[in-house]
């Protein structure tokens, strides 16, 4: 009897760990964010330059899961991850309501600092993603769907 109870308990614990809750999506259009995206340019900032995989010498891929996990890959190698959440809110560029993504970067040890970064989200159809830094000297990051 104890063995059966133990097996059932292990199953319940394993199932609950494996079934993380999907993140809240305040606007159905934001579901297009889920999946993998290949970087093709970044522009803006105080220098006004444009950066591409060609002039930077590397490829960058990003992935957004429906569980709120953001991952980056530089030249196919895992380059980091963060948690994120999606919201609707005012942009610093005029105050209109836009789709926003907030990233939460942890530094890997207990009690470590958590940095946040906020970007507004725009789509060009289903295959183009633009992430705009919510800062006055920020950049616009352009991606094309990878999957």
């Amino acid at each position: 009897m104890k063995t059966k109870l133990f097996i059932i308990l292990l199953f319940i614990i394993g199932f609950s760990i494996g079934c993380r809750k999907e993140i809240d999506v305040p606007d159905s259009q934001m579901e297009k964010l889920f999946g993998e995206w290949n970087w093709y340019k970044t522009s803006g900032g105080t220098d006004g330059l444009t950066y591409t995989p060609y002039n930077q010498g590397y490829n960058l891929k990003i992935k957004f899961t429906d569980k709120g996990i953001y991952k980056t890959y530089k030249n196919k190698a895992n380059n980091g991850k963060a948690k994120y959440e999606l919201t609707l809110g005012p942009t610093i560029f005029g105050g209109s309501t836009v789709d926003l993504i907030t990233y939460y970067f942890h530094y890997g040890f207990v009690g470590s600092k958590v940095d946040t970064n906020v970007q507004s989200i725009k789509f060009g159809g289903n295959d183009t993603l633009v992430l705009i830094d919510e800062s006055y000297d920020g950049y616009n990051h352009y991606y094309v769907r990878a999957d």
Side-chain angles (χ1 to χ4, degrees):
M1 180 66 175
K2 286 183 182 180
T3 304
K4 287 182 181 179
L5 184 60
F6 181 72
I7 291 172
I8 292 171
L9 183 61
L10 281 178
F11 177 77
I12 291 170
I13 291 171
F15 185 76
S16 64
I17 290 172
C19 295
R20 297 176 82 188
K21 181 181 179 242
E22 291 183 4
I23 64 169
D24 292 327
V25 181
D27 176 352
S28 63
Q29 177 169 306
M30 280 200 220
E31 290 181 4
K32 292 192 291 188
L33 182 70
F34 303 146
E36 295 183 346
W37 300 88
N38 290 320
W39 171 62
Y40 71 90
K41 78 175 178 177
T42 293
S43 61
T46 56
D47 59 14
L49 298 176
T50 298
Y51 303 95
T52 67
Y54 178 76
N55 66 27
Q56 295 302 296
Y58 62 85
N59 291 308
L60 185 67
K61 180 181 281 191
I62 59 175
K63 180 179 182 179
F64 296 95
T65 72
D66 62 355
K67 307 287 190 220
I69 302 296
Y70 162 79
K71 296 180 180 181
T72 62
Y73 303 89
K74 186 174 181 178
N75 290 333
K76 298 184 181 180
N78 188 347
N79 195 41
K81 72 178 185 176
K83 292 183 179 180
Y84 74 90
E85 70 177 342
L86 302 171
T87 57
L88 294 174
T91 178
I92 65 167
F93 307 109
S96 61
T97 300
V98 296
D99 297 328
L100 295 172
I101 184 167
T102 303
Y103 305 90
Y104 299 94
F105 298 96
H106 297 267
Y107 290 103
F109 52 91
V110 175
S112 65
K113 181 180 176 185
V114 176
D115 280 340
T116 60
N117 183 35
V118 179
Q119 295 176 313
S120 53
I121 303 168
K122 292 189 177 186
F123 294 99
N126 290 323
D127 63 349
T128 303
L129 169 66
V130 183
L131 297 173
I132 302 163
D133 295 341
E134 284 287 313
S135 66
Y136 291 111
D137 58 353
Y139 292 88
N140 295 346
H141 309 273
Y142 298 84
Y143 299 87
V144 64
R145 186 170 292 283
D147 47 10

